[in-house]
Amino acid sequence: MKEQTQPLLTIGIIFKDEIRCLERCLKSLTPLRETIPCELIMADTGSADGSRNIASRYADILFDFPWTNDFSVARNAVMNHSSGKWYMTIDADEYLDKDITELVSFLRDSKKNSELLCGVVQRNYETLEMDSKYSDFLAVRLVCMSTGLRYRGAIHESWPFEEKGLLNVRGLLHTILHHDGYASTDGKKGKEKNERNLSLLRRNLEKDSKNLRTLLQYIESGRREKDYLDTLRSAMAIVETKKSGWQHYGPPIFRYAVRAALEDELPEFWEWVERSEKLFPDSFFTRIDIEYIAFSQSLKDGDYIAAIHHGEHYLQSIKAFQRQEDSLSETVYSVLLMSSPYWEQSLKIYLADIYVKEGRSKRAWELLQDIDATLLDAQLTGNMLCVLGDLHRFSNLDTSSMLLRFYQELSKPRPSEKRAEERKNIFYQTAMFAFLTQNQKEELLEPNFCRPSYMLFLPLINDCDIGRGAAVLTLQNPDEMQLVLSKVENWELFPAEALVHALEAGVSFPLLEKPLKTEEMERLTARLSESMEDYVSWIINVVGNDFKDRKQHDSLQLLSWTQHLILAAICTFGWKTDKTGKGIKLAGLFAKSEKEYLSRYYAPELLRPENLALLPAFHRFGWRCAKAFDALDSEDVSAYVRELKAGLEICPESNAIAEYLMRQTPQLMPCSQGVSEELLSLAEQVRTLLAGYPPNHPAVEAIKASEAYQKVAELIETLN
C-alpha cells in the first residue's frame, strides 16, 4: 500500500448559495493544486441553489455545517479537518490570479523562512466587469498549522496572531485574490448580507464600544446607517486618546471621516484633513486617500492653487506607494480607496484640466501623456476628451499623436467589449460638441484662443467619421470634400455641421456611389435642421435655387433627399408665430417637391382623390397642397382654398400649415388693403366667436344677424 504524504497546503472554503461565482473560484485553484500537494476542504453552511453539486466535483472533503451566525465557528470547523502544513482560506466570490509563482516559491521554501503567516493581495473591485476601479487590501490568508491559531470573531473574523506575538507577517504582493463580492451587493441578497454583518458588528460594539477594530469595521459597512456620523466622531475621539491600536486603525478611520465630510458637505472637512495630516503624516491613508479627497474638495471650491497642491502630493505619494516593497503593509487594517490605476488616471485628467485653465499647458500635456484609455470608464473618457480639446484650443502643442493613441486604446475590448463600446459612444457624443456652430463662434471670443477645437480630430481622418468631418470643415474645394465624404462609414457619426459646409460649397449630395436609405435621410435631415441657425432660410435659398435648375431625369435618390430636407423644415418652422412671410415660400417648395416626388414614386391611380387616404399622412396633405399651389398659379383662389381645406380634412396634423396659408397668402386678403386696424380686429373677434359654436347652432344665426357681423362679413369670409 502506498504511503500518503502530508499535503503541503490545505485550502479551506465555507460557502452558501454561491452559484454565481463558486465554480470560477474553484477552477482558479486548479493550477495551484496541480503544482504542489494540496487538499481542498469545503463546508456548506446551507446552500439551496445547486452550489453543493459544484463543490462536490472539486472538493477533497465536503461537509455540511449548520450556520450559527458566527464566521469563526464555521471557518474553524474547516481548519479542524485540515492535514496540510500550511492553511489558506479563500472565499467563494474570489478567485486566484493566474500568476502563482510567488505563492508556490514561498510554500516550497517555507522551511528556509521564519514567517509563519502570509498576507496576499485581496483586490476588491467596484464593478462586476472587474476593471481598473478597485482597492487593494493585504489580507492575512495563510498560516502555518503548527502555530495552532484558530479564527476569532463572529464577523470580519481573523487569526489573533498579534496576541501570540507573531508579528512577522510575510507579504506576498504578487499573489492576488480577485474579489467582486462588494460589486455584487446590490439587490435583496446584498442588502440581507450587509444587514447581517451590521447586526453582528453592533452586537460586538455592545460588548466593547471602544474597540477600534470593530468601530472601523462598522464604519466600513454602515455608510447608510443613521448613526454613521456619530460613530465616526466617536471613533476619531477614541483614536486621539491613543487607545491601543490607534496607530493602525486611526488612519483609515480618519480617511472615512474626511470622505464622509466631502460627501455630506460637513463644515469640519478641512479641520479633519488637518488633524489627519498632523496625526498620521506618513500614512498612505493620508498621503493617498485624503490627498485625493482634499483635491476633490478644492476642485469643487474652485480653489485651483489648493487643488494643484493636493493633486501633486497625491501623485508623488502614488509613485512612492508603487515603488516601496512594503507599501501594502498598512492595508492589513483596511483598504486604500484611491490607489488603483483608475483613481490615478482620474486625478491626472482633472489636474491637467486645471493646468490648462491656468495657462500651464506643458504640465497638462505631461500628465495626459500617461493616460491609458483602456483603464477609463465612459465618464473619464468624456472628461479626457474635453481636457484634450481645451489643450488643443489654447496651445500650439502637437496633440495629434496623443489623440491617435487615445482613440486606438479606447477602442480596445478591455476589460470588455461592452466597456469599449461605452467609451466609443461617449467619445463621439463629446466630440460632436466641438463642431456645433455656436461653440465655434464662442471659441473665437475666448482669451488665449489658438485653434478651433474641432481641428483636434484631424489626425483621425483615416480612422473614424469624426476625423473625416474635421477634414471637410477645413477644405474649400468641393471635389476634395466629395472625396472625403465618399469614405464616410456612418452618417450618424458624421458631424452635421461638416455636411452643411459641404452642401453650401456646392457638393452634390447624396453621393452617387453612396445612396442613402429613407430612414438615413430622415435622421440626417433632422440633424441638419437642428445644427443650423436659420435652416428654413437655407432651404429657401439653396434648395429653392436647386429646384429651379432641376431636370426631370434627376435621380429619385436626389429628389427624395430634397423632399426630406424640405420636410424637416416644414416640421420645425414656427407656423403660428411667423410674420416674415417665409412660410409661403417654404410651403411653395413643399408643394413642388411633393408634386414631383409623388407623381414619380406612386402609381397614378393612387393619387386619385378617392385613394389619397392610402398615402402617409403628410403626403396626403402634400398632394392637396400641390394642387392648391397649381390653382393659385392659375389665379383660381377659390380652388386654392378648397384644396387646402380638403388637405386639412384628410390630414389634421397639417392644421398649423393650412391656417398659416389661409391667413398669410396675399391673394386671400384683397379686401384687407386699406382697412383700419380696428375693423380687422373686430373681424377677428367675431370670427373667433363664431368658431366657438357648431355651424348649425342657434347662436351662429344670431351672431350673423348682428350689426357687428354685417360690418365685417366680407373680411370674415376672407379670413375663413
Side-chain angles (χ1 to χ4, degrees):
M1 181 174 177
K2 184 178 180 181
E3 182 181 350
Q4 290 186 330
T5 59
Q6 179 187 10
L8 179 58
L9 176 68
T10 296
I11 304 170
I13 298 175
I14 65 171
F15 68 94
K16 178 184 177 181
D17 292 337
E18 298 286 3
I19 195 72
R20 176 188 73 85
C21 53
L22 183 58
E23 187 151 28
R24 177 189 66 183
C25 170
L26 299 177
K27 280 184 176 180
S28 74
L29 299 174
T30 300
L32 180 62
R33 297 176 69 189
E34 291 176 344
T35 305
I36 60 174
C38 286
E39 66 174 352
L40 174 60
I41 302 176
M42 303 181 69
D44 183 356
T45 60
S47 296
D49 66 348
S51 295
R52 201 180 195 286
N53 292 333
I54 293 174
S56 66
R57 299 201 300 268
Y58 291 86
D60 296 301
I61 300 175
L62 172 63
F63 63 96
D64 295 312
F65 188 83
W67 179 244
T68 61
N69 259 1
D70 191 315
F71 279 94
S72 289
V73 172
R75 291 204 189 276
N76 288 335
V78 177
M79 286 193 76
N80 290 338
H81 283 78
S82 171
S83 59
K85 294 179 181 179
W86 283 84
Y87 181 86
M88 181 173 77
T89 185
I90 183 169
D91 290 333
D93 55 7
E94 300 172 335
Y95 68 89
L96 184 62
D97 191 80
K98 293 178 181 179
D99 185 0
I100 58 173
T101 308
E102 181 187 42
L103 175 59
V104 170
S105 295
F106 172 80
L107 289 169
R108 285 177 172 168
D109 298 338
S110 57
K111 289 183 180 180
K112 302 176 184 178
N113 303 317
S114 60
E115 298 95 348
L116 298 175
L117 292 132
C118 268
V120 300
V121 177
Q122 183 191 48
R123 182 156 290 174
N124 300 299
Y125 294 92
E126 295 186 28
T127 70
L128 288 174
E129 284 187 304
M130 305 180 83
D131 54 15
S132 60
K133 207 171 185 179
Y134 59 76
S135 54
D136 284 346
F137 175 66
L138 189 60
V140 180
R141 293 297 189 88
L142 284 92
V143 63
C144 185
M145 290 295 291
S146 64
T147 62
L149 285 173
R150 290 296 185 270
Y151 281 100
R152 186 186 296 174
I155 180 72
H156 297 300
E157 65 289 354
S158 64
W159 293 307
F161 52 87
E162 291 174 317
E163 294 179 14
K164 294 273 190 178
L166 301 171
L167 302 179
N168 193 8
V169 177
R170 174 73 170 269
L172 302 180
L173 304 183
H174 303 290
T175 303
I176 300 173
L177 290 174
H178 301 278
H179 175 232
D180 67 356
Y182 297 143
S184 61
T185 54
D186 293 336
K188 183 179 178 182
K189 185 176 179 181
K191 185 178 180 182
E192 290 174 351
K193 181 178 179 180
N194 197 54
E195 288 176 352
R196 176 204 65 193
N197 292 351
L198 288 172
S199 176
L200 294 172
L201 288 167
R202 286 193 187 96
R203 191 183 307 167
N204 290 345
L205 285 173
E206 288 172 3
K207 298 175 184 176
D208 184 359
S209 62
K210 295 185 177 181
N211 186 298
L212 287 174
R213 182 173 184 271
T214 308
L215 282 166
L216 174 58
Q217 291 168 352
Y218 184 81
I219 289 165
E220 288 174 331
S221 301
R223 182 65 180 98
R224 298 173 186 171
E225 299 302 297
K226 293 180 180 179
D227 63 348
Y228 186 76
L229 291 177
D230 291 336
T231 305
L232 267 174
R233 289 187 171 95
S234 175
M236 284 191 291
I238 295 169
V239 168
E240 291 189 287
T241 66
K242 299 190 176 180
K243 187 180 182 297
S244 176
W246 73 279
Q247 310 99 315
H248 305 310
Y249 300 110
I253 286 173
F254 268 80
R255 181 270 316 278
Y256 280 118
V258 171
R259 187 180 72 168
L262 172 72
E263 293 172 349
D264 296 349
E265 299 182 346
L266 302 180
E268 299 99 327
F269 179 84
W270 288 111
E271 176 195 340
W272 290 354
V273 169
E274 290 175 11
R275 285 162 66 184
S276 303
E277 291 173 343
K278 183 178 180 181
L279 286 168
F280 312 108
D282 299 323
S283 169
F284 280 122
F285 290 101
T286 302
R287 297 167 60 192
I288 291 178
D289 284 357
I290 290 180
E291 285 287 16
Y292 188 100
I293 298 167
F295 168 81
S296 300
Q297 183 64 57
S298 301
L299 190 60
K300 185 179 178 182
D301 294 341
D303 187 346
Y304 290 165
I305 294 176
I308 289 172
H309 169 80
H310 291 292
E312 292 291 0
H313 276 205
Y314 168 89
L315 293 176
Q316 291 169 13
S317 299
I318 280 289
K319 285 183 180 178
F321 178 77
Q322 294 166 347
R323 188 169 57 244
Q324 293 178 20
E325 279 298 315
D326 62 342
S327 59
L328 274 175
S329 59
E330 272 194 287
T331 65
V332 168
Y333 304 98
S334 185
V335 297
L336 273 171
L337 298 177
M338 278 85 177
S339 63
S340 74
Y342 176 88
W343 297 108
E344 182 184 357
Q345 302 268 297
S346 169
L347 186 134
K348 285 181 177 180
I349 291 170
Y350 289 121
L351 186 56
D353 184 45
I354 293 174
Y355 278 125
V356 172
K357 288 180 171 64
E358 291 291 291
R360 298 171 63 180
S361 298
K362 186 176 180 181
R363 177 57 180 149
W365 189 83
E366 290 171 354
L367 290 170
L368 297 181
Q369 278 282 71
D370 296 330
I371 298 302
D372 181 352
T374 65
L375 302 176
L376 307 184
D377 57 13
Q379 180 181 340
L380 282 185
T381 299
N383 292 345
M384 169 65 177
L385 191 57
C386 287
V387 178
L388 197 50
D390 288 345
L391 182 63
H392 176 86
R393 187 163 76 249
F394 296 124
S395 77
N396 289 312
L397 293 171
D398 184 1
T399 56
S400 56
S401 60
M402 188 181 294
L403 178 73
L404 279 168
R405 179 174 59 82
F406 178 63
Y407 182 77
Q408 290 163 1
E409 286 177 352
L410 68 86
S411 302
K412 294 177 181 177
R414 299 179 191 162
S416 65
E417 288 280 4
K418 179 184 176 185
R419 180 60 61 83
E421 196 61 32
E422 290 172 350
R423 289 194 295 255
K424 283 191 285 187
N425 287 340
I426 200 69
F427 175 88
Y428 280 106
Q429 291 173 27
T430 306
M432 288 293 186
F433 283 103
F435 292 84
L436 295 178
T437 303
Q438 186 61 30
N439 184 70
Q440 293 183 49
K441 288 182 177 180
E442 291 174 358
E443 286 180 347
L444 294 172
L445 304 176
E446 292 175 325
N448 305 318
F449 171 79
C450 291
R451 301 167 289 186
S453 53
Y454 73 79
M455 292 180 67
L456 168 72
F457 303 100
L458 277 172
L460 299 178
I461 184 172
N462 296 317
D463 297 272
C464 67
D465 291 322
I466 285 289
R468 287 182 266 275
V472 167
L473 274 179
T474 61
L475 296 172
Q476 299 301 322
N477 185 297
D479 292 335
E480 293 177 355
M481 293 182 198
Q482 190 154 333
L483 181 60
V484 177
L485 291 174
S486 68
K487 298 176 182 177
V488 171
E489 296 173 354
N490 184 348
W491 291 109
E492 292 290 304
L493 303 178
F494 186 81
E497 293 75 12
L499 183 56
V500 169
H501 177 66
L503 293 173
E504 290 178 338
V507 172
S508 179
F509 193 84
L511 307 178
L512 291 177
E513 65 272 25
K514 291 180 76 71
L516 297 174
K517 299 175 183 176
T518 298
E519 57 269 26
E520 288 180 309
M521 291 185 185
E522 187 174 340
R523 290 192 295 265
L524 194 49
T525 52
R527 289 177 57 216
L528 288 175
S529 68
E530 293 171 359
S531 67
M532 299 181 68
E533 292 184 14
D534 192 351
Y535 179 72
V536 171
S537 293
W538 182 77
I539 287 294
I540 292 170
N541 294 330
V542 177
V543 179
N545 290 331
D546 287 348
F547 235 103
K548 292 177 184 177
D549 301 331
R550 188 178 302 286
K551 299 177 181 178
Q552 288 298 317
H553 63 263
D554 281 342
S555 71
L556 198 58
Q557 171 88 184
L558 182 57
L559 179 58
S560 180
W561 169 249
T562 303
Q563 187 209 37
H564 276 86
L565 286 170
I566 295 171
L567 276 174
I570 289 287
C571 293
T572 57
F573 187 67
W575 296 101
K576 293 183 179 180
T577 58
D578 177 64
K579 294 182 180 180
T580 64
K582 289 181 184 177
I584 298 295
K585 296 179 181 178
L586 179 60
L589 278 178
F590 173 61
K592 289 179 181 178
S593 69
E594 286 290 290
K595 179 180 180 181
E596 184 174 345
Y597 180 81
L598 294 176
S599 62
R600 294 179 64 181
Y601 191 81
Y602 291 104
E605 56 268 26
L606 189 60
L607 300 178
R608 293 173 184 170
E610 64 272 18
N611 294 327
L612 288 180
L614 300 176
L615 292 174
F618 247 85
H619 283 328
R620 295 198 293 270
F621 178 74
W623 185 249
R624 287 294 187 182
C625 193
K627 294 291 186 184
F629 273 85
D630 281 347
L632 197 63
D633 289 342
S634 302
E635 300 184 356
D636 188 346
V637 178
S638 297
Y640 175 75
V641 174
R642 283 197 306 273
E643 291 293 346
L644 289 178
K645 288 184 176 180
L648 184 58
E649 288 176 6
I650 60 176
C651 181
E653 295 91 338
S654 62
N655 180 60
I657 306 173
E659 282 192 359
Y660 176 91
L661 293 175
M662 296 285 197
R663 189 173 62 250
Q664 296 288 346
T665 303
Q667 291 89 328
L668 296 184
M669 299 183 292
C671 60
S672 66
Q673 305 298 322
V675 177
S676 68
E677 288 290 332
E678 291 79 11
L679 206 59
L680 285 170
S681 177
L682 177 61
E684 184 60 34
Q685 291 175 30
V686 174
R687 188 175 79 89
T688 303
L689 187 62
L690 285 169
Y693 298 98
N696 55 357
H697 195 279
V700 173
E701 186 176 347
I703 293 171
K704 287 187 174 181
S706 68
E707 182 179 349
Y709 179 82
Q710 299 305 318
K711 287 182 179 180
V712 293
E714 186 177 354
L715 276 174
I716 289 173
E717 290 299 320
T718 300
L719 290 171
N720 286 334

